[in-house]
Amino acid sequence: MLIQRPRRLRKSQAVRDLIAETRLSISQLVEPVFFCEGNQIKVSIITLPGLFRFSPDLLLKHLEGSLELGIKSFALFPALPENKKNSQASESLNEKGLVPETIRLIKKTFPEATIFTDIALDPFSSDGHDGLVQDQKILNDETVKVLAQMAVVHAQAGADFVSPSDMMDGRVGAIRKSLDENNLIETGIMAYSAKYASGFYGPFRDALGSAPKFGDKKTYQMDTRNSHEAIKEVGLDIEQGADIVMVKPALSYLDIIAKVKQNFPQTPLAAYNVSGEYAMVQAAAARGMLDLDRVILEVLTSIKRAGADIIFTYHAREAAKLL
Ligand code: PBG
């Protein structure tokens, strides 16, 4: 006789659904979208099969489709022409720039959509780094001043959450302070707190033409070999006013997601299923090496099971159709 037979709880789909510990919900997905200046533009991104860079008018059409599928939250990533970039990343502070204008357009058309905007200088910087550069060094405090102003520009345009992804020290506190000084108390901060220097960002940088022009991002993004440091970073961001914290990338860092959730269960935790993770799955599926739908659900479920509350994923629309 066997007293315990775990297979009894796997006997049918209904029983498995009854006892499932992890549940995926569309309401916890955030769809990242790429956009550029112009009109009637929809360009395929070669390294991210199935994804496009849209001009604002066609971005609206795309968002309408996503909203119909039940996706309500979006992360905006601008692609700027090289002639709008400079060493001071000054276009990042233009109140009439591509990002604030697009936020206003989306908010006017779809007030129900929740908008996350990226706070970092790389799309605007001729150096392709997240911060200001001097003598090939990434300046911290000077960068933080710009980021704090940039957050105000996005918040005034209607962003729901500004999302510092730059990994400068002290940026969350500085952003919270400048938002509050400008009476933007309702704008939240979703901090990319444990963001690793990762090879999995490659396709994203291709999508935006934002790869660093020299060196890499290892003096500000975290070292893959560390996990205690992730706890330190998340703790600092919460102390400084982050409403939501993030671990990025997701799949090679599931242990970090689990640790952060254990240490800070009271703070909503996001994980970013990044561009390289998406590209790997799409490339293998395109070659018939795996079943796309099944793997998408497995990937997203594993990120939730590890402890994420919110998932940023390029699979959002495909997943929404499956859920
Ligand atoms: C820029 C930024 C990056 C991503 C989000 N914001 C790239 C980077 O840090 O180089 C990566 C997203 C992805 O790969 O899907 N600060």
Side-chain angles (χ1 to χ4, degrees):
M1 194 196 72
L2 268 178
I3 293 175
Q4 280 292 354
R5 285 186 184 270
R7 288 185 55 192
R8 278 197 282 265
L9 295 176
R10 296 180 204 131
K11 69 184 264 186
S12 67
Q13 189 66 45
V15 172
R16 292 192 292 274
D17 288 345
L18 201 58
I19 62 143
E21 297 171 37
T22 307
R23 291 173 205 267
L24 264 185
S25 154
I26 304 177
S27 59
Q28 293 182 304
L29 301 182
V30 179
E31 184 189 1
V33 290
F34 301 109
F35 60 107
C36 57
E37 295 175 348
N39 243 302
Q40 294 295 308
I41 296 173
K42 178 179 179 181
V43 184
S44 311
I45 300 169
I46 295 159
T47 52
L48 293 168
L51 302 189
F52 302 89
R53 220 165 31 223
F54 297 104
S55 52
D57 54 330
L58 295 190
L59 177 66
L60 282 185
K61 281 196 86 170
H62 176 85
L63 296 185
E64 187 176 15
S66 299
L67 286 160
E68 275 166 16
L69 286 168
I71 301 164
K72 299 193 180 79
S73 297
F74 303 94
L76 304 189
F77 293 103
L80 272 82
E82 285 298 318
N83 65 16
K84 287 262 167 82
K85 300 181 185 181
N86 60 32
S87 63
Q88 296 306 302
S90 48
E91 184 63 16
S92 65
L93 300 182
N94 180 359
E95 290 166 22
K96 299 244 153 59
L98 174 65
V99 176
E101 292 291 9
T102 305
I103 299 169
R104 278 188 278 269
L105 187 64
I106 297 171
K107 277 290 173 181
K108 197 174 80 191
T109 319
F110 306 117
E112 72 276 26
T114 299
I115 307 283
F116 292 79
T117 62
D118 205 58
I119 303 293
L121 301 186
D122 50 329
F124 311 97
S125 152
S126 46
D127 295 302
H129 276 284
D130 290 18
L132 299 172
V133 178
Q134 194 173 47
D135 302 328
Q136 306 231 332
K137 286 215 161 100
I138 316 305
L139 304 176
N140 194 89
D141 298 11
E142 293 80 353
T143 299
V144 168
K145 284 192 191 118
V146 182
L147 298 174
Q149 289 174 268
M150 183 179 174
V152 169
V153 172
H154 292 188
Q156 282 173 338
D160 297 283
F161 289 91
V162 290
S163 315
S165 70
D166 55 291
M167 291 301 281
M168 297 300 124
D169 295 330
R171 87 275 206 220
V172 172
I175 289 171
R176 187 68 269 162
K177 184 159 173 279
S178 73
L179 289 174
D180 282 18
E181 282 169 359
N182 286 277
N183 259 326
L184 296 158
I185 55 166
E186 289 187 7
T187 309
I189 300 178
M190 203 285 315
Y192 286 72
S193 303
K195 176 170 176 180
Y196 286 85
S198 169
F200 288 102
Y201 306 149
F204 174 96
R205 294 177 188 170
D206 286 340
L208 298 185
S210 65
K213 301 279 158 53
F214 68 88
D216 52 37
K217 298 192 176 184
K218 289 183 179 169
T219 68
Y220 44 108
Q221 297 180 346
M222 284 179 54
D223 190 316
T224 303
R225 296 170 290 186
N226 296 346
S227 74
H228 297 305
E229 193 187 2
I231 304 306
K232 175 163 114 184
E233 285 281 8
V234 169
L236 287 170
D237 283 358
I238 293 173
E239 271 168 38
Q240 290 174 40
D243 300 285
I244 302 173
V245 293
M246 176 186 271
V247 172
K248 176 185 176 185
L251 287 184
S252 291
Y253 300 86
L254 293 173
D255 58 324
I256 308 298
I257 294 172
K259 267 202 186 114
V260 168
K261 195 64 204 174
Q262 271 161 22
N263 277 274
F264 304 101
Q266 72 279 36
T267 304
L269 173 60
Y272 203 138
N273 178 212
V274 299
S275 58
E277 298 170 348
Y278 172 88
M280 283 196 302
V281 168
Q282 295 291 348
R287 286 163 183 71
M289 292 174 177
L290 45 75
D291 174 342
L292 183 64
D293 291 353
R294 193 171 166 184
V295 168
I296 288 173
L297 289 181
E298 188 170 338
V299 162
L300 298 180
T301 301
S302 67
I303 296 168
K304 279 218 76 183
R305 191 195 61 233
D309 303 297
I310 303 165
I311 306 176
F312 283 55
T313 179
Y314 302 98
H315 294 300
R317 282 165 73 111
E318 295 164 294
K321 290 177 197 155
L322 301 169
L323 293 173

